[in-house]
Amino acid sequence: MIQFILDGRPIAYDGDPDRKLLPWLREDQDICSVKDGCSGQGFCRSCTVEIDGRGKLACVTMMKSLAGKSVTTLEGLPDDVRTVLADAFVRHGAVQCGFCTPGYLARTRLLLESNPNPTRDEVVKALKQHVCRCTGYHAIVDAVLTAAAMLRGEDSPAVDSGGVGHDQPKYDAHRRALGNAPFVDDLPFDDLVHGAIRFSDHPRAVVKRLDTAAAAAMPGVIRVLTAADVPGERRTGLIAKDWPLYVAVGETTRYVGDALALVVADTPPQARAAAAAIDVEYEILEPVTDPAVALASNTHIHPGGNLLEASAVKRGGDADAALAGSAFTTTGTYATQRVEHAFLEVEACVARPAKDGVEVFSPGQGVYVDRQQIASLLALDPADVIVHQIATGGAFGGKEDLSVQGHAALAAHVLQKTVKVKLDRTESIRMHPKRHPITMEYAVGCDANGMLTAVRARFLGDTGAYASVGGKVLERAAGHATGAYHVPCVDLEARAVYTNNLPCGAMRGFGVNQATFALESCLDDLCKQGGFDRWQFRYDNALAQGRMTATGQVLDEGVGVRETLLAVKDQYDNAGYCGIACGIKNCGIGNGMADWCEVEIHVVAADRVIVRHGWTEMGQGVHTVAQQVVAESTGIDPAIIEVTVSTADGAEAGMTTSSRGSSLVGNALIVAAQDLKVDLDAGRSLDDLAGKRYRGRWSFDRSTAPSAPGEAVTHYSYSYATQLVILDDDGAIARVVAAHDAGRILNPALFRGQIQGSVHMGLGYALSEELPQVDAAMPLTKLKDLGLIPMDAMPPVEVIGVEVRDPLGPYGAKGVGEVGLVPTAAAVAGAFNAFDGQSRTVLPLAPIRTSP
C-alpha cells in the first residue's frame, strides 16, 4: 500500500507500483489538467505537477516514489490563484491551442510562490524547459509577469472585448488554460475500450503472413482487425485514394507508418502488448528513398509510377533568352529539409456506434472531409456518419489526413462498442505526413537598373509514400516561385515524387517557405552583383496593383507588400547586420477549385446565441473571429455567443487549410447576420427571436488552374509580409522585426500571437529543425531530437501590423496563419550572408545562436 496526499486528500494506492503517475491521475482520478504530450519522453512538460513543493513530470514519476509525499495538481490550487493565472494568460494571448498551458500554469505557481516579483530573465529561466509550439513564448513570459503583479495586489490590465478590431479574449481560453476544456483524450465515456495499431517493420516489404492468433488470445483482447474487416473502400486520401487503412497479406508496404492491424482491448497497455505480439512474415525489399532516383527507377511505389504530379507555368516569352539578355544573373541549387509539425496533442479519436452508423469525435482539420472518408471506409451513407470536431491541440497542417479516425470508426462499427484509438508520440511522428524536403534549381535575372527580368525554377519534392496533398504543395511552390515580386517572364516546373520515406503533405506555408528561401537568396546575390540596396531592390520590384504573381494573376487593389517594406525601412537603415525578405501567401485553395463556407446563427434565448460552422479551432482563433464578426455585424455581445462544429449541424465547409478559415467563416457570417440585423433593427429582441436560425453561405468559384488559358485568377486573396532578422556584432540573432499586412486586423492579440508563433517556427526551420530518417527510412521519434527552439533561445520579435484592406475579405481581412513564417528562413540566411559574405543554400543553416 502506497500512501500519499493528492490535492489535500489522503490516498492509499494498492496498484502496480511501477505505474506512472500521469495515467493514474488521468484515468483513475479524472484529473485532466495534466496532459500527455510526449508519451513519457519527459520533454514537453505538459504534465507538470507539484510534489513536495517541487515541479515534477507526472509522465516519468512512478507511483512507488510517492510514498509519504504530497502531490498537487492544477485542480488542487486555491480558486483565486487559478483564476489569476488563467486570466493573465488569456489577457496576453498566451493561450492558443492551450494544450501546454496547464503545465505552464503549474510551473508559474511554483515560481511565484518562491519569487513573487521575478524579472523577465528569471521567468525564462524557470520556464525554459517547457515546450509550446504555438505562441513563440513571448506572450507566455508577459503573462507570468502580469500574474505576478496581480498576485501582489496590483491592478490587472483591462479586457478589450468586442467586435472587429478589439482584443476579444480567445474563445473558451480560460477553461482551456486550466485544463477544463477537453481535448479528445480528455472526453469521458462509459464502457470505453482501446485500440492499438500494429505498424509495418519495414518501409518496403511484401507481407507474406500475418499471424494474429497469439495476440487474439492475450488478456483483455476483444478483437484483432485487419484489411479483411474493412467493409467499404479500404483506401483513403484527400485527393488521390492511394492510402490503405491496412496493408493486406500479399501486398507491399510503402513506409514504416503503414498499418497492418488494429488490436482492440479493455485497456491501452493490453492493446499495445497484443499489437506487439502479432507475428508478421515479410519478404524485405530495397526501399526507394531518393526522389531523383525514384523518377528514373523501374521500382514503382504505386502502379502509375513514381511521379505523383507535375506542375508548370510558362509565360512572358523565352526565359532562357531573357536571362541571357539580363545585365545580372544568378543561379543556384537550394535544398530544404523534412520537418515534423510537433503539435503537442498527439492524435486521438473516439468513435461509438450510432443508429445505422457511427458517431466520431475527431481531432482532425475538417469534419466534413473526415465524414466522407469514414463513410467510404465503412460503406455507409455519409448522413449516417456524425463527426464532432473537438478543439485541437495544434495541427499546422499535420492533422489534415485521416489517421486514427478511420481505425476508431471501423472498430466501433464492427464491434458496436465505444473505441478510443490514441497514438503515442513515437507513433505520431512515424505515421503522419511532414513538411516536404524540396530541391530547387533557380536562375534569376535583372537589368542594369535592378528590375527583375526572368525567373527559371525547377522544384523536386519528396512526397513520400502517399499522395496526401503533396502534388498541391509543389504546385503552390511553383505558383509562389517569384515571391512577392513582379517578374515579366517565368519558366517554372515542379514535380512531387513518391518514395518509401514518410509521407509529406500540408504544413504551415505549404511549399511557399521553400520557394521563398531560394528566391530571396538569389535576390541578395543580384544586389551584391549590381551594387543595389537590398531594401530598394525589393521595393522597386514589389507586387502592387496591376502587377502579376508567378502564375500571371494581375492583382487588383489590396496589395500591401510595399507598405510592409516601408514599415521596416528605418530599422533596416539603422541595422548593422541584417537580412531582409518579403513574403506572399495565398488565402484559400483556389487553383481552379472553389472556396466556400456555410454557417448558421441560432438564437436560442436572450442570453444565448449559437454559431455553427465547419472549421477546426486548433489555436488560430477561428471561433473567436466568428464571435467578433457576429458581434460587429449585429451588435450582439460576444460573451453570449457559443460556437459548435459538427456534421450534425449541416454547416458545411472543407479542410481548415490555406489560411482561409477566418476569411471564409467571416464572409459567410456577414451574410447570415444581415437578416438577423434587420430583425434587430426592427425592434425585435433576442428573446423575441428565440428559436430562429439564420443561414449564410459565401463562396469564390472563379479561380483558375495555374496553367489554364485566359485570365489567371489563381486565388481570391493574398497576404503579404516583410521581415528583418538583425544580428549583433558577433553574428548572433539579436531580434526579428515582422511587418505583416493582414488587411483588417480582426483581433490584434490573436494577430500578434499568430505572427510571433510563426516566426518561432520559421526560425526553427531556418536554424535547427529537421526530422532525420535513419535505418532504412525509419525516423527519429523523440521530441528532443527535432531541433525545436526553446524559450531561452528565442530572440525578441517586434510585430508591426499593416492594414491594406482586401476587397474580398471579411471587413477587409486577409489570412495570417501561414505568411508569418514564409520570409523567415530567407531573412535569416540573408542576415548571415550580410555578416560573413557567405551564401547559404541548404536548410537548416546552423545551430541556434541568439544574443544573450
Side-chain angles (χ1 to χ4, degrees):
M1 188 73 69
I2 301 169
Q3 296 185 334
F4 60 96
I5 302 297
L6 173 65
D7 293 335
R9 297 181 289 115
I11 298 291
Y13 174 80
D14 61 356
D16 180 0
D18 291 329
R19 190 181 186 190
K20 299 295 174 55
L21 174 59
L22 179 59
W24 180 78
L25 287 172
R26 292 181 55 82
E27 296 166 14
D28 293 28
Q29 301 298 306
D30 296 325
I31 293 176
C32 290
S33 66
V34 284
K35 305 298 183 186
D36 178 12
C38 65
S39 307
Q41 295 179 6
F43 186 77
C44 75
R45 284 164 168 74
S46 298
C47 64
T48 297
V49 297
E50 178 184 340
I51 300 179
D52 284 354
R54 300 185 63 185
K56 298 290 183 179
L57 305 183
C59 72
V60 296
T61 299
M62 291 186 179
M63 297 301 295
K64 64 186 178 185
S65 70
L66 299 178
K69 296 183 179 180
S70 177
V71 179
T72 304
T73 70
L74 204 55
E75 283 85 344
L77 298 183
D79 286 343
D80 58 339
V81 174
R82 286 160 44 87
T83 298
V84 166
L85 295 176
D87 281 352
F89 272 66
V90 171
R91 288 167 193 246
H92 282 282
V95 185
Q96 287 195 26
C97 84
F99 191 88
C100 67
T101 312
Y104 275 102
L105 264 58
R107 184 75 64 176
T108 297
R109 190 262 186 169
L110 286 165
L111 167 66
L112 299 184
E113 194 171 57
S114 62
N115 182 1
N117 192 14
T119 65
R120 193 172 193 89
D121 287 345
E122 288 170 335
V123 172
V124 171
K125 182 179 179 180
L127 302 182
K128 66 181 181 181
Q129 292 183 314
H130 283 246
V131 177
C132 174
R133 194 57 163 161
C134 297
T135 63
Y137 295 117
H138 294 303
I140 292 173
V141 179
D142 292 338
V144 174
L145 294 172
T146 292
M150 293 169 67
L151 288 172
R152 294 195 306 268
E154 298 179 19
D155 291 338
S156 60
V159 176
D160 179 29
S161 61
V164 169
H166 292 272
D167 285 336
Q168 169 70 22
K170 190 170 184 298
Y171 182 80
D172 215 17
H174 195 279
R175 288 201 316 138
R176 200 156 296 284
L178 294 171
N180 296 334
F183 297 95
V184 171
D185 195 33
D186 302 328
L187 294 171
F189 292 92
D190 294 328
D191 301 320
L192 184 67
V193 297
H194 301 268
I197 298 171
R198 174 62 160 95
F199 290 97
S200 172
D201 298 289
H202 306 282
R204 183 167 174 260
V206 179
V207 179
K208 305 294 287 185
R209 180 176 57 84
L210 190 67
D211 187 346
T212 64
M218 291 179 69
V221 172
I222 300 166
R223 179 80 176 266
V224 180
L225 299 170
T226 65
D229 294 299
V230 180
E233 170 55 59
R234 185 161 46 96
R235 291 169 177 80
T236 65
L238 294 173
I239 298 172
K241 284 192 171 186
D242 63 352
W243 199 330
L245 189 69
Y246 303 108
V247 175
V249 172
E251 295 179 344
T252 302
T253 67
R254 296 185 174 93
Y255 85 120
V256 294
D258 270 329
L260 306 182
L262 180 79
V263 174
V264 181
D266 292 332
T267 70
Q270 289 172 336
R272 290 189 182 283
I278 294 175
D279 183 33
V280 187
E281 179 185 338
Y282 300 96
E283 178 189 343
I284 301 172
L285 305 173
E286 185 69 24
V288 181
T289 58
D290 184 315
V293 172
L295 278 178
S297 176
N298 290 324
T299 299
H300 289 175
I301 295 163
H302 288 273
N306 294 338
L307 178 63
L308 167 62
E309 187 173 321
S311 304
V313 178
K314 294 185 179 182
R315 60 166 178 79
D318 186 335
D320 289 338
L323 288 166
S326 299
F328 304 100
T329 59
T330 183
T331 61
T333 299
Y334 299 84
T336 63
Q337 74 279 39
R338 180 180 294 101
V339 173
E340 158 68 19
H341 299 75
F343 39 73
L344 286 192
E345 179 210 22
V346 292
E347 299 90 333
C349 180
V350 175
R352 62 187 179 188
K355 181 182 178 181
D356 299 324
V358 290
E359 184 179 17
V360 179
F361 299 82
S362 174
Q365 290 185 230
V367 288
Y368 289 93
V369 181
D370 284 0
R371 179 181 70 172
Q372 194 66 38
Q373 294 190 86
I374 291 169
S376 176
L377 282 169
L378 304 185
L380 294 173
D381 188 311
D384 294 327
V385 178
I386 302 299
V387 184
H388 306 294
Q389 180 63 57
I390 309 302
T392 300
F396 315 110
K399 295 177 181 175
E400 289 190 16
D401 297 85
L402 198 74
S403 62
V404 289
Q405 302 98 306
H407 298 283
L410 174 68
H413 184 59
V414 170
L415 302 177
Q416 291 295 290
K417 292 179 177 291
T418 303
V419 181
K420 178 190 287 186
V421 179
K422 177 190 173 186
L423 303 182
D424 66 21
R425 178 58 65 178
T426 293
E427 294 166 338
S428 174
I429 292 175
R430 183 175 183 164
M431 189 178 192
H432 75 254
K434 316 303 176 191
R435 186 188 298 283
H436 280 76
I438 301 180
T439 300
M440 299 163 284
E441 297 178 357
Y442 257 83
V444 184
C446 71
D447 65 20
N449 296 315
M451 300 304 295
L452 290 168
T453 54
V455 169
R456 183 183 67 232
R458 301 291 183 264
F459 300 85
L460 183 64
D462 180 356
T463 211
Y466 296 106
S468 182
V469 291
K472 300 309 171 187
V473 170
L474 270 293
E475 182 182 73
R476 295 302 182 279
H480 290 72
T482 59
Y485 309 102
H486 173 85
V487 181
C489 179
V490 302
D491 180 354
L492 313 170
E493 295 179 5
R495 291 175 294 175
V497 181
Y498 285 121
T499 67
N500 289 120
N501 295 323
L502 303 183
C504 289
M507 187 172 178
R508 200 177 204 172
F510 209 84
V512 182
N513 318 34
Q514 293 95 316
T516 302
F517 164 62
L519 174 72
E520 293 281 344
S521 299
C522 290
L523 299 191
D524 282 345
D525 189 54
L526 290 177
C527 289
K528 187 179 294 187
Q529 291 183 44
F532 306 120
D533 177 80
R534 290 174 294 150
W535 184 93
Q536 193 65 52
F537 185 97
R538 287 167 168 83
Y539 186 88
D540 291 343
N541 286 285
L543 290 168
Q545 187 171 358
R547 289 185 161 189
M548 65 176 65
T549 66
T551 61
Q553 180 174 354
V554 178
L555 299 174
D556 202 345
E557 59 185 313
V559 186
V561 186
R562 285 181 166 170
E563 286 77 3
T564 65
L565 279 159
L566 290 169
V568 305
K569 179 67 162 62
D570 289 345
Q571 297 195 65
Y572 170 84
D573 288 340
N574 293 311
Y577 302 106
C578 80
I580 182 171
C582 297
I584 177 177
K585 181 64 179 68
N586 60 290
C587 178
I589 54 175
N591 286 277
M593 300 178 70
D595 288 284
W596 55 274
C597 171
E598 296 175 354
V599 297
E600 179 180 272
I601 304 172
H602 178 193
V603 180
V604 179
D607 59 353
R608 188 181 180 210
V609 174
I610 299 175
V611 168
R612 299 183 173 97
H613 65 74
W615 305 102
T616 296
E617 173 55 66
M618 50 194 174
Q620 83 280 38
V622 67
H623 288 358
T624 314
V625 167
Q627 285 181 306
Q628 291 186 269
V629 168
V630 173
E632 186 74 12
S633 302
T634 64
I636 293 173
D637 183 354
I640 71 167
I641 299 173
E642 301 174 22
V643 185
T644 66
V645 180
S646 171
T647 60
D649 297 336
E652 293 201 29
M655 191 62 67
T656 309
T657 188
S658 303
S659 302
R660 66 181 182 162
S662 292
S663 177
L664 291 175
V665 80
N667 278 330
L669 283 170
I670 289 171
V671 173
Q674 289 173 353
D675 288 342
L676 173 54
K677 184 68 164 61
V678 168
D679 285 346
L680 293 171
D681 286 346
R684 302 182 68 186
S685 68
L686 290 178
D687 212 14
D688 296 332
L689 300 173
K692 193 164 184 181
R693 301 168 186 255
Y694 300 84
R695 303 281 298 186
R697 190 179 196 276
W698 191 87
S699 67
F700 186 89
D701 58 4
R702 295 188 291 106
S703 72
T704 58
S707 56
E711 179 187 4
V713 184
T714 314
H715 298 284
Y716 76 86
S717 177
Y718 296 91
S719 47
Y720 308 95
T722 299
Q723 290 184 3
L724 300 181
V725 172
I726 299 170
L727 308 184
D728 64 17
D729 291 340
D730 296 321
I733 296 175
R735 58 194 178 94
V736 178
V737 181
H740 285 256
D741 170 25
R744 175 80 185 279
I745 298 175
L746 299 176
N747 184 309
L750 293 183
F751 166 74
R752 192 164 52 249
Q754 283 292 292
I755 302 304
Q756 288 179 340
S758 294
V759 169
H760 172 259
M761 191 175 283
L763 289 172
Y765 184 51
L767 295 169
S768 57
E769 288 191 34
E770 186 170 16
L771 179 61
Q773 287 192 166
V774 295
D775 190 24
M778 175 68 79
L780 297 177
T781 55
K782 292 188 176 180
L783 282 175
K784 70 179 182 62
D785 295 325
L786 301 180
L788 307 179
I789 293 180
M791 178 184 281
D792 61 342
M794 184 63 188
V797 179
E798 179 186 352
V799 178
I800 302 173
V802 174
E803 295 185 299
V804 179
R805 304 292 177 92
D806 189 294
L808 293 178
Y811 294 103
K814 300 170 182 173
V816 299
E818 296 177 277
V819 72
L821 59 80
V822 165
T824 311
V828 172
F832 289 169
N833 190 350
F835 181 77
D836 62 15
Q838 302 298 310
S839 297
R840 270 74 175 175
T841 59
V842 178
L843 296 181
L845 298 171
I848 302 165
R849 291 186 64 222
T850 56
S851 293

